[in-house]
Amino acid sequence: MGCNREDMTEKSENSDQKTLQAVREELAQREYEISLLRETTQAIGSELDFDTVLQIIADRARELIRSETLLIPILDEACGLYTYQAGSGRDIDEIVGESLPIEFGVCGWVWRHKRAWWRGMLSELSEEERNRWEKEAGTLIMVPLIGRKHFLGGLAGIDKQGGGDFSERDLKLLELFAGHVAIAIENAMAVKEVESARRATEDYQHALQNLNRRLSMANQELENLSLYDQLTKLPNRSLFLDRVRQHLDAVNDKGGLPFAVLIVDINRFQDINDVLGQDGGDELLKIVSKRYLNALTSKHTLSRMSGDEFAVLLCDIDERRAVEMAERVLDSIKDPVRVMQQEVVVTATVGIAIYPQHGGTVSELIKHGDAAMNTAKREQHAIHLFDEDRDSIDSGRLGMVRDLKNALDGEEFELHYQPKVALFSGNIVGVEALARWHHKQRGWVPPDMFITALEQTGLIAPFSYWVIETALKQRQQWLKKGHEVKIAINIPITLILAPGFITELNAIVDRYPTANGIVIEITENIFMSDYQRLNTVLRQLQEIGFNFSIDDFGTGHSSLSRLRQLPVTELKVDRSFVMDMLKSKDDEIIVKSTIELAHNLGLMVVAEGVENEDIMRQLYRMRCDIAQGYHISKALPPAEIEHFFTTSKWPLSPSIEEKSGSQQNEQ
Ligand code: C2E
Ligand code: CA
Ligand code: CA
């Protein structure tokens, strides 16, 4: 059997055509692969997002080797774990995201050997290893991804599409592809690292900012606590001192106008506190501080120095303006303050120190402002400018408080007596007992000063009991001598309302035949909180012989109609109205109407602060009952006042023309 030439030619033409066909197919395939590679390279070259880059690579690689599935395991930095970061094709949802230890599976093998895995590898393996991998070998192909710096992971194809094994050609293509894309992956990883580093930095910055914010809040809170008064929210003493210091430095450096430090102290705040209680007192301080603030401008600094003491820094101000500002501050509290459903009348005293004339340092200015304030209180002025000669600072309050106790124990106090004259008869009908204290070193200490100190230290109770006992003793002595004079004593309302007062008084009175003729003067300087209780107490005291007078009337806030409920027999018009009543129409009206109203209520009226004959005359015309004042006499020691009783009927009365023919009764 032979083949003819034509046959041969035909056959060879056929086979040539087949070869040509195959070559063409091969070429087309190559072209496709090349374009795929080029496209892939372009795609991933323009893409920096790590996940997108991996996804493109997975999709293209799968297309290239026609696998059912393509996975990209990526090694972690410590080269301990690999994670399937991306995948394409069948079942990838189950696998992508999973991590496995490097020792595990084909990936570990590729990592350890730094070369591709495919069926052809089997012949190179030991028998044991071959057995282990044989089953999977045909359906799995994996090439390493090796970056410029290190091993990244791999591209793994699983199951050839349409069945069968992966060919060597698949291996070559995948290796070529992996070579192209490894750099892209490495770059994307670097970007991811940079990105995550940036994000971490941002997070860190964020956390830092948060921390900073929290720290600065805590800091602010601390600062707040250490520099501001928690009750009034005003700068506290240390912040105030600092502000004054800063202002003083600025004035010294750049030159500037004088400035003033005001010390503002509420009068008898202790009484207010006793009656209102701590909470009420606090509430009152808050309201008062707001009123002060409203009287000032933002240029000034108001501070709560302690308790009821406030301070103001007034910049660029002279004496006259400082006094004006002090007046404004005091004006701001003119209207009663409403606290705990009660109207409270608050008054204050201001001491002023001006830089540079009253002090060149912060502490000097504060000290002198304080001294001026104390002088103002002592001399009963609302406002006082520091005066080197008058405001002795050395008589510090603290030392005095210590001395008070000794004074009480050592009976250093004395009672002096100021006469009260009935205007229509000229007779001395009574005296007011006023305490005097002669201090061994200090000399005579003003009563307002030591009374306040006694009140603040709680020594006012034993002191008052001493006053009562002394007055009772004195009254008995005078009665024995034939002097029928009533003795008025001053007792703070807080003590009268204090538990145990009645018991104590009963015990004292028991030692004397009678308490008749003792008049208790109750200061009207604060509202009376509990009228009911006061009424009960006063009535009990009335039963054992005491009478009552309302002192300083007009300065406080008790209404006449409310006073009517109390067993009070006398009313004392405050000396501040009486002293000026000839000069001030307002004061005259107050005195006149008080006398009329009191008479309508059946009360006797005493005018204190009668300093001259004209006032006395005018009071007489106004039908005032009793006069007390320097015009008649100052308070005198017992021996001297006794002399007064015997030598004189008050000589002024007959000279009052209206007196003649008057039918009025002697008081
Ligand atoms: P006060 O109860 O209003 O006493 C009257 C004050 O006016 C006394 O001041 C008296 O000396 C003063 N005075 C009398 N006549 C005149 C006058 O014509 N012109 C002027 N400008 N003043 C006059 P003093 O003795 O300095 O007492 C001041 C305050 O001290 C008293 O005011 C009283 O609140 C308190 N005080 C005095 N002694 C006692 C006491 O034994 N117990 C209590 N709790 N307080 C007392
Ligand atoms: Ca009095
Ligand atoms: Ca008085």
Side-chain angles (χ1 to χ4, degrees), residues 521 551-552 574-575 608:
E521 293 192 6
D551 204 358
D552 301 349
D574 189 66
R575 62 180 178 278
E608 51 171 59

Side-chain angles (χ1 to χ4, degrees), residues 518-544:
I518 302 289
V519 180
I520 294 179
E521 293 192 6
I522 306 164
T523 311
E524 191 249 352
N525 71 338
I526 57 159
F527 64 102
M528 291 167 192
S529 59
D530 194 344
Y531 264 80
Q532 203 104 57
R533 179 158 153 63
L534 184 64
N535 197 15
T536 316
V537 174
L538 294 192
R539 283 183 196 283
Q540 283 172 300
L541 291 172
Q542 194 182 32
E543 262 176 41
I544 51 175

Side-chain angles (χ1 to χ4, degrees), residues 239-307:
L239 183 55
F240 183 76
L241 297 183
D242 195 55
R243 296 253 170 102
V244 178
R245 192 171 301 116
Q246 277 180 22
H247 188 67
L248 194 145
D249 289 348
V251 170
N252 278 339
D253 286 355
K254 298 183 205 121
L257 296 170
F259 63 89
V261 169
L262 269 52
I263 304 291
V264 188
D265 198 273
I266 296 177
N267 299 331
R268 295 178 173 266
F269 181 69
Q270 190 56 42
D271 288 353
I272 296 176
N273 230 2
D274 284 349
V275 177
L276 287 178
Q278 171 95 33
D279 289 350
D282 281 358
E283 192 56 37
L284 183 127
L285 285 175
K286 272 205 252 181
I287 298 171
V288 165
S289 70
K290 282 206 190 93
R291 298 249 192 114
Y292 287 167
L293 257 189
N294 287 339
L296 302 165
T297 69
S298 56
K299 232 176 76 180
H300 311 131
T301 301
L302 173 68
S303 148
R304 182 176 174 216
M305 300 292 269
S306 66

Side-chain angles (χ1 to χ4, degrees), residues 432 490 521 551 572:
E432 177 176 9
N490 295 280
E521 293 192 6
D551 204 358
K572 295 184 82 173

Side-chain angles (χ1 to χ4, degrees), residues 268 378 380 414-415 418 432-436 446-451 454-455 460 463-464 466-467 489-492 521 523 551-552 572 574-575 579 608-612 628-635:
R268 295 178 173 266
R378 194 165 65 233
Q380 304 199 329
E414 291 172 43
L415 286 185
Q418 186 177 35
E432 177 176 9
L434 292 161
R436 297 291 178 257
D448 273 323
M449 200 169 178
F450 67 78
I451 296 291
L454 285 165
E455 281 171 350
I460 194 71
F463 169 81
S464 297
W466 171 82
V467 169
I489 54 174
N490 295 280
I491 307 288
E521 293 192 6
T523 311
D551 204 358
D552 301 349
K572 295 184 82 173
D574 189 66
R575 62 180 178 278
M579 274 155 45
E608 51 171 59
V610 179
E611 294 193 340
N612 57 52
Q628 175 185 350
Y630 291 167
H631 178 57
I632 302 159
S633 169
K634 292 198 169 195

Side-chain angles (χ1 to χ4, degrees), residues 139-350:
T139 57
L140 199 137
I141 182 170
M142 180 167 171
V143 299
L145 283 166
I146 298 164
R148 271 169 301 209
K149 290 183 202 137
H150 45 78
F151 184 85
L152 305 172
L155 300 176
I158 303 164
D159 296 332
K160 187 83 179 168
Q161 285 172 21
D165 292 345
F166 289 105
S167 64
E168 187 166 4
R169 198 180 134 71
D170 292 331
L171 176 74
K172 290 269 149 26
L173 269 176
L174 200 56
E175 277 185 320
L176 184 71
F177 186 75
H180 270 79
V181 299
I183 306 301
I185 292 177
E186 196 170 43
N187 287 345
M189 275 170 96
V191 170
K192 188 186 173 190
E193 262 164 40
V194 170
E195 180 66 13
S196 72
R198 187 179 64 80
R199 218 169 290 146
T201 314
E202 264 176 19
D203 285 354
Y204 179 67
Q205 256 175 7
H206 212 82
L208 211 68
Q209 270 166 5
N210 270 341
L211 188 72
N212 268 345
R213 206 172 307 131
R214 284 214 309 276
L215 269 174
S216 86
M217 264 160 65
N219 204 30
Q220 215 169 338
E221 218 165 282
L222 265 176
E223 189 167 287
N224 220 26
L225 279 174
S226 65
L227 295 180
Y228 290 87
D229 168 49
Q230 292 310 293
L231 181 72
T232 60
K233 310 290 176 225
L234 291 174
N236 66 12
R237 189 184 183 87
S238 40
L239 183 55
F240 183 76
L241 297 183
D242 195 55
R243 296 253 170 102
V244 178
R245 192 171 301 116
Q246 277 180 22
H247 188 67
L248 194 145
D249 289 348
V251 170
N252 278 339
D253 286 355
K254 298 183 205 121
L257 296 170
F259 63 89
V261 169
L262 269 52
I263 304 291
V264 188
D265 198 273
I266 296 177
N267 299 331
R268 295 178 173 266
F269 181 69
Q270 190 56 42
D271 288 353
I272 296 176
N273 230 2
D274 284 349
V275 177
L276 287 178
Q278 171 95 33
D279 289 350
D282 281 358
E283 192 56 37
L284 183 127
L285 285 175
K286 272 205 252 181
I287 298 171
V288 165
S289 70
K290 282 206 190 93
R291 298 249 192 114
Y292 287 167
L293 257 189
N294 287 339
L296 302 165
T297 69
S298 56
K299 232 176 76 180
H300 311 131
T301 301
L302 173 68
S303 148
R304 182 176 174 216
M305 300 292 269
S306 66
D308 62 324
E309 189 177 283
F310 293 78
V312 188
L313 167 64
L314 299 171
C315 301
D316 307 339
I317 211 159
D318 58 13
E319 283 189 9
R320 192 181 55 81
R321 283 278 299 136
V323 172
E324 269 173 31
M325 287 308 293
E327 279 165 355
R328 275 180 63 169
V329 168
L330 293 183
D331 256 15
S332 75
I333 52 167
K334 240 183 173 166
D335 292 337
V337 175
R338 206 169 162 74
V339 179
M340 305 188 128
Q341 275 117 40
Q342 306 183 54
E343 303 258 297
V344 187
V345 173
V346 187
T347 58
T349 304
V350 186

Side-chain angles (χ1 to χ4, degrees), residues 44 47 49-61 70-74 83-88 145 154-155 177 181 184-186 188-189 192:
I44 59 180
E47 185 60 62
D49 176 61
F50 183 64
D51 292 332
T52 316
V53 167
L54 289 191
Q55 193 56 54
I56 294 170
I57 292 169
D59 290 340
R60 296 295 156 86
L70 195 123
L71 293 169
I72 307 183
I74 298 288
T83 303
Y84 291 104
Q85 290 281 6
S88 177
L145 283 166
L155 300 176
F177 186 75
V181 299
I185 292 177
E186 196 170 43
M189 275 170 96
K192 188 186 173 190

